[in-house]
Short mmCIF file of all heavy atoms in Angstrom, two decimals:
data_model
loop_
_atom_site.label_atom_id
_atom_site.label_comp_id
_atom_site.label_asym_id
_atom_site.label_seq_id
_atom_site.Cartn_x
_atom_site.Cartn_y
_atom_site.Cartn_z
N MET A 267 96.60 -178.30 -130.72
CA MET A 267 95.40 -179.05 -130.38
C MET A 267 94.48 -178.15 -129.55
O MET A 267 94.91 -177.44 -128.68
CB MET A 267 95.81 -180.28 -129.57
CG MET A 267 94.62 -181.07 -129.00
SD MET A 267 95.14 -182.49 -127.99
CE MET A 267 96.11 -181.74 -126.70
N LYS A 268 93.20 -178.23 -129.90
CA LYS A 268 92.19 -177.54 -129.09
C LYS A 268 91.10 -178.52 -128.75
O LYS A 268 90.90 -179.53 -129.43
CB LYS A 268 91.54 -176.40 -129.90
CG LYS A 268 92.44 -175.23 -130.18
CD LYS A 268 91.71 -173.99 -130.57
CE LYS A 268 90.96 -174.14 -131.87
NZ LYS A 268 90.51 -172.83 -132.39
N VAL A 269 90.37 -178.24 -127.67
CA VAL A 269 89.16 -179.00 -127.41
C VAL A 269 87.99 -178.04 -127.46
O VAL A 269 88.07 -176.92 -126.95
CB VAL A 269 89.26 -179.76 -126.06
CG1 VAL A 269 89.43 -178.80 -124.89
CG2 VAL A 269 88.05 -180.65 -125.85
N VAL A 270 86.95 -178.46 -128.12
CA VAL A 270 85.76 -177.58 -128.27
C VAL A 270 84.54 -178.33 -127.72
O VAL A 270 84.46 -179.56 -127.72
CB VAL A 270 85.54 -177.17 -129.73
CG1 VAL A 270 86.67 -176.30 -130.23
CG2 VAL A 270 85.38 -178.39 -130.64
N VAL A 271 83.59 -177.54 -127.24
CA VAL A 271 82.35 -178.11 -126.71
C VAL A 271 81.17 -177.64 -127.55
O VAL A 271 81.13 -176.48 -127.98
CB VAL A 271 82.15 -177.73 -125.23
CG1 VAL A 271 82.08 -176.21 -125.05
CG2 VAL A 271 80.91 -178.39 -124.65
N ASP A 272 80.26 -178.55 -127.79
CA ASP A 272 78.99 -178.17 -128.42
C ASP A 272 78.01 -177.95 -127.26
O ASP A 272 77.51 -178.90 -126.65
CB ASP A 272 78.50 -179.33 -129.33
CG ASP A 272 77.21 -178.98 -130.04
OD1 ASP A 272 76.48 -178.08 -129.54
OD2 ASP A 272 76.93 -179.61 -131.06
N ASN A 273 77.76 -176.69 -126.97
CA ASN A 273 76.91 -176.35 -125.82
C ASN A 273 75.47 -176.77 -126.04
O ASN A 273 74.69 -176.82 -125.09
CB ASN A 273 77.01 -174.86 -125.48
CG ASN A 273 78.33 -174.54 -124.80
OD1 ASN A 273 79.21 -173.92 -125.39
ND2 ASN A 273 78.47 -174.96 -123.55
N ASN A 274 75.11 -177.10 -127.27
CA ASN A 274 73.74 -177.61 -127.51
C ASN A 274 73.59 -179.06 -127.04
O ASN A 274 72.50 -179.52 -126.78
CB ASN A 274 73.38 -177.52 -128.98
CG ASN A 274 73.23 -176.10 -129.43
OD1 ASN A 274 72.66 -175.27 -128.75
ND2 ASN A 274 73.80 -175.79 -130.59
N LEU A 275 74.73 -179.76 -126.96
CA LEU A 275 74.71 -181.15 -126.49
C LEU A 275 75.06 -181.28 -125.03
O LEU A 275 74.55 -182.16 -124.32
CB LEU A 275 75.71 -181.99 -127.31
CG LEU A 275 75.39 -182.20 -128.78
CD1 LEU A 275 76.55 -182.93 -129.47
CD2 LEU A 275 74.10 -182.99 -128.94
N CYS A 276 75.96 -180.43 -124.53
CA CYS A 276 76.43 -180.53 -123.15
C CYS A 276 75.29 -180.36 -122.16
O CYS A 276 74.46 -179.46 -122.29
CB CYS A 276 77.47 -179.42 -122.91
SG CYS A 276 78.05 -179.35 -121.21
N GLU A 277 75.25 -181.29 -121.16
CA GLU A 277 74.23 -181.17 -120.12
C GLU A 277 74.86 -180.79 -118.77
O GLU A 277 74.23 -180.93 -117.74
CB GLU A 277 73.46 -182.47 -120.01
CG GLU A 277 74.31 -183.66 -119.58
CD GLU A 277 73.55 -184.97 -119.50
OE1 GLU A 277 72.41 -185.02 -120.00
OE2 GLU A 277 74.11 -185.93 -118.93
N ALA A 278 76.10 -180.32 -118.78
CA ALA A 278 76.76 -179.76 -117.62
C ALA A 278 76.85 -180.72 -116.43
O ALA A 278 76.75 -180.32 -115.28
CB ALA A 278 76.10 -178.45 -117.19
N ASN A 279 77.06 -181.99 -116.72
CA ASN A 279 77.16 -182.98 -115.65
C ASN A 279 78.58 -183.05 -115.04
O ASN A 279 78.80 -183.77 -114.09
CB ASN A 279 76.71 -184.37 -116.12
CG ASN A 279 77.47 -184.78 -117.36
OD1 ASN A 279 78.66 -184.50 -117.50
ND2 ASN A 279 76.77 -185.42 -118.30
N ALA A 280 79.52 -182.33 -115.63
CA ALA A 280 80.86 -182.13 -115.06
C ALA A 280 81.75 -183.36 -115.06
O ALA A 280 82.73 -183.43 -114.32
CB ALA A 280 80.78 -181.52 -113.66
N VAL A 281 81.41 -184.36 -115.86
CA VAL A 281 82.29 -185.52 -115.97
C VAL A 281 83.67 -185.04 -116.44
O VAL A 281 84.70 -185.44 -115.86
CB VAL A 281 81.72 -186.55 -116.97
CG1 VAL A 281 82.75 -187.65 -117.27
CG2 VAL A 281 80.44 -187.16 -116.39
N CYS A 282 83.73 -184.20 -117.43
CA CYS A 282 85.00 -183.71 -117.97
C CYS A 282 85.75 -182.87 -116.92
O CYS A 282 86.96 -182.95 -116.81
CB CYS A 282 84.80 -182.91 -119.22
SG CYS A 282 83.64 -181.53 -119.05
N MET A 283 85.01 -182.09 -116.16
CA MET A 283 85.64 -181.24 -115.13
C MET A 283 86.30 -182.07 -114.06
O MET A 283 87.36 -181.74 -113.55
CB MET A 283 84.61 -180.27 -114.55
CG MET A 283 85.24 -179.25 -113.62
SD MET A 283 84.12 -177.91 -113.16
CE MET A 283 83.11 -178.69 -111.92
N ARG A 284 85.71 -183.18 -113.73
CA ARG A 284 86.33 -184.07 -112.70
C ARG A 284 87.63 -184.68 -113.25
O ARG A 284 88.57 -184.90 -112.49
CB ARG A 284 85.35 -185.15 -112.28
CG ARG A 284 84.28 -184.61 -111.33
CD ARG A 284 83.54 -185.74 -110.63
NE ARG A 284 82.70 -186.51 -111.52
CZ ARG A 284 81.45 -186.15 -111.85
NH1 ARG A 284 80.92 -185.06 -111.35
NH2 ARG A 284 80.75 -186.90 -112.68
N LEU A 285 87.69 -184.92 -114.52
CA LEU A 285 88.91 -185.52 -115.12
C LEU A 285 90.01 -184.50 -115.31
O LEU A 285 91.19 -184.81 -115.17
CB LEU A 285 88.57 -186.16 -116.46
CG LEU A 285 87.69 -187.41 -116.41
CD1 LEU A 285 87.17 -187.76 -117.79
CD2 LEU A 285 88.49 -188.55 -115.83
N ALA A 286 89.66 -183.26 -115.63
CA ALA A 286 90.65 -182.22 -115.93
C ALA A 286 90.11 -180.86 -115.51
O ALA A 286 89.69 -180.06 -116.35
CB ALA A 286 91.03 -182.25 -117.42
N PRO A 287 90.12 -180.56 -114.22
CA PRO A 287 89.51 -179.32 -113.74
C PRO A 287 90.25 -178.05 -114.16
O PRO A 287 89.69 -176.95 -114.08
CB PRO A 287 89.53 -179.47 -112.21
CG PRO A 287 90.57 -180.52 -111.95
CD PRO A 287 90.61 -181.42 -113.14
N ASP A 288 91.49 -178.21 -114.61
CA ASP A 288 92.21 -177.03 -115.09
C ASP A 288 91.82 -176.66 -116.53
O ASP A 288 92.13 -175.59 -117.04
CB ASP A 288 93.73 -177.25 -115.01
CG ASP A 288 94.17 -178.52 -115.73
OD1 ASP A 288 93.41 -179.51 -115.69
OD2 ASP A 288 95.25 -178.53 -116.32
N ILE A 289 91.15 -177.56 -117.20
CA ILE A 289 90.76 -177.36 -118.60
C ILE A 289 89.25 -177.09 -118.72
O ILE A 289 88.82 -176.25 -119.50
CB ILE A 289 91.17 -178.53 -119.48
CG1 ILE A 289 92.70 -178.72 -119.43
CG2 ILE A 289 90.68 -178.37 -120.93
CD1 ILE A 289 93.19 -179.98 -120.13
N PHE A 290 88.45 -177.84 -117.96
CA PHE A 290 86.98 -177.74 -118.07
C PHE A 290 86.40 -177.17 -116.79
O PHE A 290 86.75 -177.59 -115.70
CB PHE A 290 86.38 -179.15 -118.32
CG PHE A 290 86.94 -179.85 -119.50
CD1 PHE A 290 87.87 -180.87 -119.36
CD2 PHE A 290 86.52 -179.52 -120.77
CE1 PHE A 290 88.38 -181.54 -120.46
CE2 PHE A 290 87.03 -180.18 -121.90
CZ PHE A 290 87.97 -181.19 -121.73
N LYS A 291 85.49 -176.22 -116.97
CA LYS A 291 84.83 -175.66 -115.78
C LYS A 291 83.35 -175.42 -116.04
O LYS A 291 83.00 -174.71 -117.00
CB LYS A 291 85.48 -174.34 -115.35
CG LYS A 291 84.87 -173.72 -114.11
CD LYS A 291 85.66 -172.51 -113.65
CE LYS A 291 84.99 -171.78 -112.48
NZ LYS A 291 84.58 -172.64 -111.39
N VAL A 292 82.53 -176.04 -115.23
CA VAL A 292 81.07 -175.80 -115.30
C VAL A 292 80.76 -174.68 -114.34
O VAL A 292 81.08 -174.76 -113.14
CB VAL A 292 80.27 -177.07 -114.93
CG1 VAL A 292 78.78 -176.76 -114.91
CG2 VAL A 292 80.59 -178.19 -115.91
N ASP A 293 80.16 -173.58 -114.83
CA ASP A 293 79.93 -172.43 -113.96
C ASP A 293 78.59 -172.56 -113.21
O ASP A 293 77.87 -173.57 -113.34
CB ASP A 293 80.02 -171.12 -114.74
CG ASP A 293 78.87 -170.91 -115.72
OD1 ASP A 293 77.83 -171.59 -115.61
OD2 ASP A 293 79.01 -170.02 -116.59
N ASP A 294 78.28 -171.55 -112.41
CA ASP A 294 77.09 -171.62 -111.59
C ASP A 294 75.79 -171.64 -112.38
O ASP A 294 74.73 -171.96 -111.85
CB ASP A 294 77.06 -170.42 -110.61
CG ASP A 294 78.20 -170.52 -109.59
OD1 ASP A 294 78.74 -171.64 -109.40
OD2 ASP A 294 78.54 -169.47 -108.99
N ASN A 295 75.89 -171.28 -113.66
CA ASN A 295 74.71 -171.30 -114.54
C ASN A 295 74.67 -172.57 -115.40
O ASN A 295 73.93 -172.62 -116.39
CB ASN A 295 74.70 -170.07 -115.44
CG ASN A 295 74.55 -168.79 -114.65
OD1 ASN A 295 73.74 -168.69 -113.73
ND2 ASN A 295 75.38 -167.80 -114.97
N ASP A 296 75.48 -173.57 -115.03
CA ASP A 296 75.52 -174.84 -115.76
C ASP A 296 75.95 -174.64 -117.21
O ASP A 296 75.39 -175.28 -118.11
CB ASP A 296 74.16 -175.56 -115.69
CG ASP A 296 73.96 -176.23 -114.34
OD1 ASP A 296 74.93 -176.31 -113.57
OD2 ASP A 296 72.84 -176.68 -114.09
N VAL A 297 76.92 -173.78 -117.39
CA VAL A 297 77.53 -173.62 -118.72
C VAL A 297 78.97 -174.10 -118.61
O VAL A 297 79.70 -173.67 -117.69
CB VAL A 297 77.49 -172.15 -119.18
CG1 VAL A 297 78.21 -171.99 -120.52
CG2 VAL A 297 76.04 -171.66 -119.28
N LEU A 298 79.37 -174.96 -119.53
CA LEU A 298 80.74 -175.46 -119.53
C LEU A 298 81.65 -174.48 -120.28
O LEU A 298 81.33 -174.05 -121.40
CB LEU A 298 80.82 -176.82 -120.21
CG LEU A 298 82.26 -177.36 -120.35
CD1 LEU A 298 82.84 -177.68 -118.98
CD2 LEU A 298 82.30 -178.54 -121.26
N HIS A 299 82.79 -174.16 -119.67
CA HIS A 299 83.78 -173.30 -120.30
C HIS A 299 85.08 -174.09 -120.48
O HIS A 299 85.47 -174.86 -119.59
CB HIS A 299 84.07 -172.07 -119.41
CG HIS A 299 82.87 -171.23 -119.21
ND1 HIS A 299 82.45 -170.28 -120.11
CD2 HIS A 299 81.96 -171.22 -118.19
CE1 HIS A 299 81.35 -169.70 -119.64
NE2 HIS A 299 81.05 -170.28 -118.50
N ILE A 300 85.72 -173.88 -121.62
CA ILE A 300 87.04 -174.45 -121.86
C ILE A 300 88.03 -173.36 -121.39
O ILE A 300 88.05 -172.25 -121.89
CB ILE A 300 87.27 -174.73 -123.36
CG1 ILE A 300 86.12 -175.59 -123.93
CG2 ILE A 300 88.64 -175.36 -123.59
CD1 ILE A 300 86.02 -176.97 -123.36
N MET A 301 88.87 -173.74 -120.41
CA MET A 301 89.70 -172.74 -119.73
C MET A 301 91.03 -172.45 -120.46
O MET A 301 91.64 -171.44 -120.22
CB MET A 301 90.01 -173.21 -118.32
CG MET A 301 88.78 -173.54 -117.50
SD MET A 301 87.66 -172.13 -117.33
CE MET A 301 88.62 -171.12 -116.20
N GLN A 302 91.44 -173.39 -121.33
CA GLN A 302 92.70 -173.19 -122.05
C GLN A 302 92.39 -173.42 -123.54
O GLN A 302 92.00 -174.52 -123.93
CB GLN A 302 93.74 -174.22 -121.61
CG GLN A 302 94.11 -174.12 -120.14
CD GLN A 302 95.15 -175.16 -119.79
OE1 GLN A 302 96.09 -175.41 -120.54
NE2 GLN A 302 95.00 -175.77 -118.63
N GLU A 303 92.61 -172.39 -124.33
CA GLU A 303 92.27 -172.52 -125.74
C GLU A 303 93.20 -173.50 -126.46
O GLU A 303 92.77 -174.40 -127.18
CB GLU A 303 92.28 -171.17 -126.45
CG GLU A 303 91.75 -171.30 -127.85
CD GLU A 303 91.64 -169.96 -128.56
OE1 GLU A 303 92.10 -168.96 -128.01
OE2 GLU A 303 91.16 -169.95 -129.70
N HIS A 304 94.51 -173.31 -126.30
CA HIS A 304 95.47 -174.17 -126.95
C HIS A 304 96.09 -175.12 -125.93
O HIS A 304 96.58 -174.67 -124.90
CB HIS A 304 96.56 -173.35 -127.65
CG HIS A 304 95.99 -172.50 -128.74
ND1 HIS A 304 95.68 -172.97 -129.98
CD2 HIS A 304 95.68 -171.18 -128.75
CE1 HIS A 304 95.18 -171.99 -130.72
NE2 HIS A 304 95.16 -170.89 -129.98
N LEU A 305 96.07 -176.39 -126.27
CA LEU A 305 96.55 -177.37 -125.29
C LEU A 305 97.83 -178.03 -125.80
O LEU A 305 97.94 -178.33 -127.00
CB LEU A 305 95.48 -178.44 -125.10
CG LEU A 305 94.17 -177.94 -124.51
CD1 LEU A 305 93.08 -178.98 -124.64
CD2 LEU A 305 94.37 -177.58 -123.04
N PRO A 306 98.78 -178.30 -124.90
CA PRO A 306 100.00 -178.99 -125.33
C PRO A 306 99.73 -180.48 -125.56
O PRO A 306 98.75 -181.04 -125.05
CB PRO A 306 100.93 -178.78 -124.12
CG PRO A 306 100.00 -178.62 -122.96
CD PRO A 306 98.78 -177.93 -123.48
N GLU A 307 100.63 -181.09 -126.30
CA GLU A 307 100.51 -182.52 -126.58
C GLU A 307 100.46 -183.35 -125.31
O GLU A 307 99.84 -184.41 -125.28
CB GLU A 307 101.69 -182.98 -127.44
CG GLU A 307 101.55 -182.66 -128.91
CD GLU A 307 100.32 -183.32 -129.54
OE1 GLU A 307 100.09 -184.53 -129.29
OE2 GLU A 307 99.57 -182.59 -130.22
N THR A 308 101.08 -182.86 -124.28
CA THR A 308 101.10 -183.63 -123.02
C THR A 308 99.71 -183.76 -122.42
O THR A 308 99.49 -184.60 -121.54
CB THR A 308 102.05 -182.96 -122.00
OG1 THR A 308 101.73 -181.57 -121.92
CG2 THR A 308 103.50 -183.12 -122.43
N ASP A 309 98.76 -182.95 -122.86
CA ASP A 309 97.39 -183.03 -122.32
C ASP A 309 96.52 -183.96 -123.19
O ASP A 309 95.35 -184.19 -122.86
CB ASP A 309 96.74 -181.65 -122.29
CG ASP A 309 97.17 -180.86 -121.07
OD1 ASP A 309 97.51 -181.49 -120.04
OD2 ASP A 309 97.16 -179.62 -121.13
N ARG A 310 97.06 -184.51 -124.27
CA ARG A 310 96.21 -185.23 -125.21
C ARG A 310 95.53 -186.46 -124.60
O ARG A 310 94.35 -186.70 -124.82
CB ARG A 310 97.02 -185.67 -126.45
CG ARG A 310 96.16 -186.29 -127.52
CD ARG A 310 96.95 -186.64 -128.75
NE ARG A 310 97.39 -185.47 -129.49
CZ ARG A 310 96.64 -184.84 -130.41
NH1 ARG A 310 95.46 -185.28 -130.72
NH2 ARG A 310 97.11 -183.77 -131.03
N ALA A 311 96.24 -187.19 -123.75
CA ALA A 311 95.68 -188.41 -123.21
C ALA A 311 94.48 -188.12 -122.31
O ALA A 311 93.41 -188.72 -122.46
CB ALA A 311 96.73 -189.19 -122.43
N ARG A 312 94.64 -187.15 -121.40
CA ARG A 312 93.50 -186.93 -120.48
C ARG A 312 92.38 -186.17 -121.16
O ARG A 312 91.21 -186.36 -120.81
CB ARG A 312 93.98 -186.24 -119.19
CG ARG A 312 94.56 -184.88 -119.37
CD ARG A 312 95.29 -184.45 -118.11
NE ARG A 312 95.73 -183.07 -118.20
CZ ARG A 312 95.30 -182.12 -117.40
NH1 ARG A 312 94.44 -182.40 -116.45
NH2 ARG A 312 95.70 -180.89 -117.57
N VAL A 313 92.70 -185.31 -122.13
CA VAL A 313 91.63 -184.65 -122.87
C VAL A 313 90.89 -185.69 -123.71
O VAL A 313 89.65 -185.66 -123.79
CB VAL A 313 92.17 -183.51 -123.73
CG1 VAL A 313 91.11 -182.97 -124.69
CG2 VAL A 313 92.69 -182.38 -122.85
N GLY A 314 91.64 -186.61 -124.30
CA GLY A 314 91.01 -187.68 -125.05
C GLY A 314 90.10 -188.52 -124.19
O GLY A 314 89.00 -188.94 -124.63
N GLU A 315 90.50 -188.76 -122.96
CA GLU A 315 89.64 -189.54 -122.07
C GLU A 315 88.35 -188.75 -121.76
O GLU A 315 87.26 -189.31 -121.71
CB GLU A 315 90.39 -189.86 -120.76
CG GLU A 315 89.56 -190.77 -119.87
CD GLU A 315 90.27 -191.22 -118.62
OE1 GLU A 315 91.42 -190.78 -118.39
OE2 GLU A 315 89.65 -191.98 -117.86
N ALA A 316 88.48 -187.47 -121.55
CA ALA A 316 87.29 -186.63 -121.32
C ALA A 316 86.35 -186.66 -122.52
O ALA A 316 85.13 -186.78 -122.36
CB ALA A 316 87.71 -185.18 -121.01
N VAL A 317 86.93 -186.62 -123.72
CA VAL A 317 86.10 -186.70 -124.95
C VAL A 317 85.37 -188.03 -124.97
O VAL A 317 84.17 -188.09 -125.23
CB VAL A 317 86.98 -186.49 -126.19
CG1 VAL A 317 86.21 -186.85 -127.45
CG2 VAL A 317 87.54 -185.09 -126.24
N ARG A 318 86.08 -189.11 -124.67
CA ARG A 318 85.46 -190.46 -124.75
C ARG A 318 84.41 -190.64 -123.67
O ARG A 318 83.40 -191.32 -123.88
CB ARG A 318 86.55 -191.53 -124.62
CG ARG A 318 87.36 -191.75 -125.86
CD ARG A 318 88.22 -192.97 -125.77
NE ARG A 318 89.20 -192.91 -124.69
CZ ARG A 318 90.39 -192.31 -124.80
NH1 ARG A 318 90.73 -191.73 -125.93
NH2 ARG A 318 91.20 -192.24 -123.78
N ARG A 319 84.65 -190.06 -122.52
CA ARG A 319 83.75 -190.33 -121.37
C ARG A 319 82.58 -189.35 -121.29
O ARG A 319 81.69 -189.53 -120.46
CB ARG A 319 84.54 -190.36 -120.08
CG ARG A 319 85.46 -191.60 -120.06
CD ARG A 319 86.30 -191.69 -118.82
NE ARG A 319 85.49 -191.75 -117.61
CZ ARG A 319 86.01 -191.89 -116.40
NH1 ARG A 319 87.30 -192.00 -116.26
NH2 ARG A 319 85.24 -191.92 -115.33
N CYS A 320 82.60 -188.32 -122.09
CA CYS A 320 81.45 -187.39 -122.09
C CYS A 320 80.20 -188.16 -122.50
O CYS A 320 80.11 -188.67 -123.60
CB CYS A 320 81.69 -186.25 -123.05
SG CYS A 320 80.21 -185.21 -123.26
N PRO A 321 79.22 -188.24 -121.63
CA PRO A 321 78.04 -189.05 -121.93
C PRO A 321 77.16 -188.44 -123.03
O PRO A 321 76.28 -189.12 -123.55
CB PRO A 321 77.27 -189.12 -120.59
CG PRO A 321 77.77 -187.99 -119.80
CD PRO A 321 79.18 -187.69 -120.24
N ARG A 322 77.41 -187.20 -123.38
CA ARG A 322 76.63 -186.54 -124.43
C ARG A 322 77.39 -186.37 -125.72
O ARG A 322 76.88 -185.78 -126.68
CB ARG A 322 76.19 -185.16 -123.90
CG ARG A 322 75.30 -185.21 -122.66
CD ARG A 322 73.90 -185.59 -123.03
NE ARG A 322 73.33 -184.56 -123.88
CZ ARG A 322 72.31 -184.74 -124.70
NH1 ARG A 322 71.75 -185.93 -124.77
NH2 ARG A 322 71.87 -183.75 -125.43
N GLN A 323 78.62 -186.87 -125.74
CA GLN A 323 79.49 -186.72 -126.93
C GLN A 323 79.52 -185.26 -127.40
O GLN A 323 79.43 -184.95 -128.60
CB GLN A 323 79.01 -187.65 -128.06
CG GLN A 323 79.07 -189.09 -127.63
CD GLN A 323 78.63 -190.08 -128.70
OE1 GLN A 323 77.62 -189.88 -129.34
NE2 GLN A 323 79.40 -191.12 -128.88
N ALA A 324 79.69 -184.38 -126.41
CA ALA A 324 79.69 -182.95 -126.69
C ALA A 324 81.06 -182.36 -126.94
O ALA A 324 81.17 -181.20 -127.29
CB ALA A 324 79.01 -182.20 -125.52
N LEU A 325 82.10 -183.15 -126.67
CA LEU A 325 83.49 -182.64 -126.80
C LEU A 325 84.15 -183.18 -128.04
O LEU A 325 83.95 -184.33 -128.40
CB LEU A 325 84.30 -183.04 -125.56
CG LEU A 325 83.84 -182.46 -124.22
CD1 LEU A 325 84.64 -183.07 -123.09
CD2 LEU A 325 83.94 -180.94 -124.21
N SER A 326 85.00 -182.36 -128.65
CA SER A 326 85.80 -182.80 -129.79
C SER A 326 87.18 -182.20 -129.70
O SER A 326 87.34 -181.07 -129.23
CB SER A 326 85.18 -182.29 -131.10
OG SER A 326 83.83 -182.60 -131.20
N ILE A 327 88.17 -182.96 -130.16
CA ILE A 327 89.52 -182.43 -130.30
C ILE A 327 89.67 -181.92 -131.71
O ILE A 327 89.26 -182.58 -132.67
CB ILE A 327 90.58 -183.52 -130.00
CG1 ILE A 327 90.58 -183.82 -128.49
CG2 ILE A 327 91.95 -183.08 -130.47
CD1 ILE A 327 91.53 -184.94 -128.08
N VAL A 328 90.22 -180.70 -131.83
CA VAL A 328 90.44 -180.08 -133.13
C VAL A 328 91.94 -179.79 -133.26
O VAL A 328 92.54 -179.24 -132.32
CB VAL A 328 89.64 -178.74 -133.24
CG1 VAL A 328 89.95 -178.07 -134.58
CG2 VAL A 328 88.16 -179.01 -133.10
N GLU A 329 92.55 -180.21 -134.33
CA GLU A 329 93.97 -179.95 -134.53
C GLU A 329 94.12 -178.50 -135.06
O GLU A 329 93.34 -178.09 -135.95
CB GLU A 329 94.58 -180.92 -135.52
CG GLU A 329 94.35 -182.39 -135.13
CD GLU A 329 94.91 -182.75 -133.75
OE1 GLU A 329 95.86 -182.09 -133.28
OE2 GLU A 329 94.40 -183.71 -133.15
N ASP A 330 95.08 -177.78 -134.52
CA ASP A 330 95.28 -176.38 -135.01
C ASP A 330 96.72 -176.16 -135.37
O ASP A 330 97.52 -177.09 -135.40
CB ASP A 330 94.78 -175.39 -133.98
CG ASP A 330 95.49 -175.53 -132.62
OD1 ASP A 330 96.33 -176.44 -132.47
OD2 ASP A 330 95.19 -174.72 -131.74
S1 SF4 B 1695 81.25 -184.37 -119.77
FE1 SF4 B 1695 80.18 -183.68 -121.62
S2 SF4 B 1695 78.10 -183.26 -120.99
FE2 SF4 B 1695 79.36 -183.34 -119.14
S3 SF4 B 1695 79.97 -181.24 -118.73
FE3 SF4 B 1695 81.59 -182.17 -119.96
S4 SF4 B 1695 81.06 -181.67 -122.07
FE4 SF4 B 1695 79.24 -181.34 -120.86
#
């Protein structure tokens, strides 16, 4: 499982970073970075919550 961000949609409001700061990081230039490329199944619930709560619908889960 991977999570990807569409940086054209992301407005860097850090909702996802507050939910999972080890996975999502908004830098000083207001760019969101995904900190872990491959995520274990145990992260699916909280990553799914971040996807659902992103107000810009900028996040997606991709199966790999
Ligand atoms: S919650 Fe969505 S809009 Fe906000 S920083 Fe994360 S990806 Fe970007």
Side-chain angles (χ1 to χ4, degrees):
M267 172 182 60
K268 291 198 296 194
V269 61
V270 295
V271 60
D272 182 339
N273 285 107
N274 292 317
L275 293 174
C276 176
E277 63 181 13
N279 54 37
V281 171
C282 56
M283 187 169 78
R284 284 194 290 276
L285 290 168
D288 54 325
I289 299 172
F290 303 103
K291 181 173 174 50
V292 176
D293 71 16
D294 293 341
N295 296 316
D296 283 349
V297 176
L298 175 68
H299 299 276
I300 308 294
M301 306 301 288
Q302 299 180 41
E303 188 175 6
H304 297 282
L305 297 167
E307 280 300 313
T308 49
D309 280 333
R310 186 176 290 274
R312 63 194 187 116
V313 171
E315 185 175 3
V317 169
R318 284 190 298 276
R319 291 180 59 178
C320 172
R322 298 283 296 158
Q323 299 180 313
L325 296 173
S326 309
I327 288 176
V328 177
E329 306 302 334
D330 58 357

